[in-house]
Amino acid sequence: MMTATVKLVSRVRRLGCVLAFCFLALFLWGLPGARALDNGLAMTPTMGWLHWERFMCNVNCQEEPDSCVSEKLFLQIAEIMASDGWKDVGYEYLCIDDCWMAPERDSEGRLQADPKRFPGGIRRLANYVHSKGLKLGIYADVGNKTCAGFPGSFGYYDIDAKTFADWGVDLLKFDGCYCDSIKHLADGYKHMSLALNRTGRSIVYSCEWPLYMWPIFKPNYTEIREYCNHWRNFADVYDSWQSIRSILDWTTSNQESIVPVAGPGGWNDPDMLVIGNFGLSRDQQITQMALWAIMAAPLLMSNDLRHICLEAKALLQDKDVIAINQDPLGKQGYRLRKEDNFEVWERPLSNLAWAVAMVNLQEIGGPRSYTISVTSLGQGLACNPDCLITQLLPVKRKLGFYEWTSSLKTQVNPTGTVLLRLERAS
Ligand code: GLA
């Protein structure tokens, strides 16, 4: 009798826990509340390469011919993306950022590439990129100037959309500098979205609309999702752990408003992957890769693929982690809990699977162990009644079979992450 009562109480408690998780799920895990931009693109997060973080606005091809923003750089990166396995694992869009333009528009009001640095023009570059089975991205700005001071698109949205389509461009990153009012910002982002659609060419539309709204207003993500395929929310990524942490912190502080809105066709963009550069340790690179997968983030690398170490390459090309990022269910993950300088994040995947990441944020000491009861994962469902757990990062290994009542113990390096995939066993 006594044992039966104890069992009943513990069942009720468990049910209570499950209900609590379900409640959390309701607002973090609902269907995307809004229609996505109806262009059929970005059904999974965009993957590719973007020049900004690594090459910035280097226009000095005289002194630095190998690292200036020029046709040569993009031809070389295209060649490597196609031949070194990048395209094969999904990195498809080769994207030009700011500083590709000549300082003036042409006599017909069209943007033109700097003739010295892009002697063949963008159309020829696009042809080459397409011949490699890749797609080409370009950059422009909703305001009067780009952030680096090149011609802005304000007053020229239709001409610019048509120019990009004529050139064979496949993605537009549309920045928000030098826009004189919130109304012009919103109208401009919408206008360009419609103008791109009217060209009839499939062009992924990458926005920074919410980033430029936040200081003044809370963005209306339902509306943004109707016009953009992805949108930057927060400051530019730098090649440092501090930058990665600040992006993660911003994301967790705002997860209630940004997670539910992400889904096929429209994604939150926490900015480029800086893996393979100078500022992140091995563990920090693992954290960026794992968390960008959990966040269903566009995977746009900004690094020098001509000189990248094998470890960084293997991490960026890790098919299991990419599969989490690209999971067809298309739901963004969220932080489940934070305690004792550990964060646990989780993301629902197709076929009732879950991805779970444990991040050790402590920057002193060595690896620390963290134990979690599997009942608390996946809203009480991931291991109910049991599951198979595979560790994907830092190295792949099968952890085996877990029952609903089991605990999972992990060891996580400082600023590192253990990424797991949980699958139904029965
Ligand atoms: C802004 C954007 C960056 C980059 C630069 C280019 O800062 O947020 O991603 O495009 O402009 O000038």
Side-chain angles (χ1 to χ4, degrees):
M1 182 63 189
M2 191 55 190
T3 7
T5 320
V6 170
K7 268 195 187 148
L8 186 66
V9 169
S10 90
R11 281 222 180 113
V12 169
R13 265 206 203 126
R14 254 187 235 161
L15 186 66
C17 287
V18 170
L19 286 177
F21 291 126
C22 291
F23 183 69
L24 178 76
L26 272 179
F27 70 89
L28 283 182
W29 192 44
L31 285 173
R35 273 182 308 123
L37 168 58
D38 188 20
N39 62 4
L41 300 171
M43 297 313 281
T44 60
T46 303
M47 291 178 66
W49 185 94
L50 176 61
H51 94 245
W52 185 254
E53 194 288 323
R54 178 64 189 254
F55 295 96
M56 302 191 68
C57 194
N58 185 349
V59 292
N60 189 351
C61 293
Q62 219 81 84
E63 297 278 324
E64 289 169 302
D66 292 329
S67 51
C68 65
V69 179
S70 70
E71 176 184 280
K72 183 174 148 198
L73 174 67
F74 293 96
L75 294 173
Q76 290 180 348
I77 301 287
E79 160 65 30
I80 292 172
M81 279 173 78
S83 62
D84 266 4
W86 301 100
K87 185 182 86 174
D88 298 340
V89 296
Y91 295 97
E92 189 184 16
Y93 287 81
L94 170 60
C95 304
I96 308 172
D97 206 288
D98 205 347
C99 305
W100 61 271
M101 294 173 197
E104 306 291 341
R105 289 174 175 268
D106 72 7
S107 56
E108 287 170 56
R110 288 175 304 205
L111 291 170
Q112 44 188 349
D114 183 287
K116 287 226 172 65
R117 292 181 287 117
F118 292 85
I122 302 297
R123 191 202 295 261
R124 201 179 73 181
L125 178 58
N127 287 345
Y128 181 79
V129 167
H130 294 153
S131 78
K132 294 280 161 193
L134 299 166
K135 298 200 153 95
L136 184 71
I138 207 159
Y139 168 100
D141 189 286
V142 71
N144 294 308
K145 285 192 265 180
T146 73
C147 296
F150 289 85
S153 295
F154 185 72
Y156 293 91
Y157 300 134
D158 296 297
I159 297 183
D160 291 353
K162 182 169 181 316
T163 306
F164 298 145
D166 289 347
W167 286 343
V169 161
D170 307 290
L171 176 149
L172 173 65
K173 171 173 173 175
F174 209 38
D175 211 336
C177 278
Y178 297 104
C179 195
D180 51 18
S181 70
I182 282 285
K183 178 161 167 29
H184 280 161
L185 186 81
D187 290 350
Y189 271 105
K190 292 183 198 170
H191 192 144
M192 187 49 113
S193 178
L194 299 172
L196 290 172
N197 263 4
R198 273 195 299 269
T199 68
R201 188 171 173 85
S202 289
I203 301 179
V204 171
Y205 188 39
S206 167
C207 300
E208 300 204 29
W209 180 1
L211 166 61
Y212 289 90
M213 281 198 74
W214 268 112
I216 305 162
F217 286 121
K218 188 174 167 159
N220 176 349
Y221 283 101
T222 311
E223 189 177 39
I224 289 168
R225 183 177 162 80
E226 282 169 20
Y227 289 95
C228 302
N229 291 120
H230 25 97
W231 47 86
R232 286 270 310 282
N233 292 311
F234 185 65
D236 294 359
V237 72
Y238 278 45
D239 187 14
S240 75
W241 174 240
Q242 190 204 341
S243 168
I244 302 303
R245 260 213 78 164
S246 67
I247 292 171
L248 295 176
D249 287 347
W250 187 90
T251 305
T252 54
S253 311
N254 293 280
Q255 60 181 5
E256 281 159 35
S257 34
I258 68 167
V259 169
V261 85
W267 311 97
N268 291 291
D269 177 5
D271 212 2
M272 294 158 267
L273 292 169
V274 293
I275 296 164
N277 291 321
F278 310 96
L280 301 185
S281 70
R282 169 85 186 141
D283 284 291
Q284 293 159 358
Q285 297 187 42
I286 288 170
T287 296
Q288 191 184 28
M289 193 69 191
L291 273 292
W292 263 235
I294 294 273
M295 291 189 290
L299 298 181
L300 294 169
M301 306 176 282
S302 193
N303 49 17
D304 190 343
L305 297 180
R306 298 164 302 183
H307 310 282
I308 188 166
C309 71
L310 289 177
E311 269 195 331
K313 183 177 174 190
L315 178 60
L316 287 161
Q317 293 193 358
D318 188 315
K319 289 193 180 129
D320 297 306
V321 183
I322 292 174
I324 290 177
N325 175 269
Q326 297 284 301
D327 187 86
L329 188 62
K331 288 191 182 297
Q332 180 171 342
Y334 48 84
R335 189 179 73 186
L336 178 66
R337 68 166 69 149
K338 178 171 186 172
E339 60 185 358
D340 189 23
N341 253 334
F342 276 106
E343 286 190 353
V344 182
W345 292 62
E346 63 179 18
R347 174 176 175 186
L349 304 172
S350 45
N351 299 323
L352 305 175
W354 286 80
V356 173
M358 330 256 184
V359 193
N360 174 6
L361 292 172
Q362 192 154 290
E363 293 176 36
I364 187 168
R368 290 194 303 148
S369 52
Y370 185 74
T371 303
I372 190 161
S373 111
V374 299
T375 36
S376 63
L377 297 174
Q379 295 151 16
L381 302 172
C383 294
N384 188 354
D386 45 41
C387 62
L388 290 169
I389 305 187
T390 309
Q391 176 182 295
L392 302 180
L393 291 174
V395 283
K396 185 169 181 178
R397 75 194 159 95
K398 290 202 163 120
L399 301 187
F401 179 82
Y402 286 75
E403 289 189 322
W404 203 50
T405 47
S406 335
S407 291
L408 174 79
K409 187 173 171 188
T410 53
Q411 278 264 321
V412 197
N413 290 346
T415 66
T417 294
V418 166
L419 179 67
L420 308 169
R421 186 183 176 100
L422 280 57
E423 262 151 13
R424 283 302 178 86
S426 48

